[in-house]
Amino acid sequence: MMYLIITLFGPDLIHLFMSETTDAALYENITNYAQNYMMVYASFIVIYNVGHVYSEILRSVGKIRVTVIAAFVGVGVRVIGTYILAHFMGETAIYWGIPLTWFCYYM
């Protein structure tokens, strides 16, 4: 559902946060980057939601240590994984660093 909303209304949502006085080329470039980021993010949001529910279940039964360790590992994976991916993918690696963290955090 989120992917469909972003596909249909993504540029309009992005333009709500941009100034109309921005240079046309820069305006288009920013819109493309933001649209690509939102598409990657929306593609993996289900994984995040399932993992978040799992994490909250662990916290509610008192296994807080597991979730804290997983959070620290997730931050490490995001930083190191994005750094490594950046050598191969360039700046778009930042988009993929977040879903990579979700995969590792919830496994």
Side-chain angles (χ1 to χ4, degrees):
M1 180 70 170
M2 183 129 169
Y3 192 83
L4 180 64
I5 291 170
I6 290 172
T7 301
L8 295 175
F9 304 110
D12 296 324
L13 294 171
I14 295 164
H15 294 157
L16 290 174
F17 298 96
M18 294 176 60
S19 171
E20 291 291 332
T21 60
T22 307
D23 178 37
L26 180 61
Y27 194 79
E28 186 65 30
N29 200 16
I30 291 170
T31 303
N32 288 336
Y33 277 117
Q35 181 79 14
N36 290 338
Y37 172 75
M38 289 191 321
M39 293 298 234
V40 169
Y41 189 86
S43 299
F44 294 97
I45 197 73
V46 172
I47 293 168
Y48 171 76
N49 290 335
V50 169
H52 190 69
V53 169
Y54 178 69
S55 176
E56 292 302 317
I57 289 170
L58 288 176
R59 287 184 190 150
S60 68
V61 297
K63 299 204 177 221
I64 297 170
R65 183 175 295 179
V66 173
T67 60
V68 170
I69 292 170
F72 280 110
V73 168
V75 170
V77 167
R78 182 175 295 173
V79 171
I80 294 168
T82 302
Y83 182 77
I84 292 169
L85 286 175
H87 291 293
F88 302 105
M89 299 174 71
E91 55 208 17
T92 59
I94 296 169
Y95 311 155
W96 293 97
I98 294 170
L100 176 68
T101 303
W102 295 341
F103 278 115
C104 293
Y105 182 71
Y106 300 123
M107 292 207 161

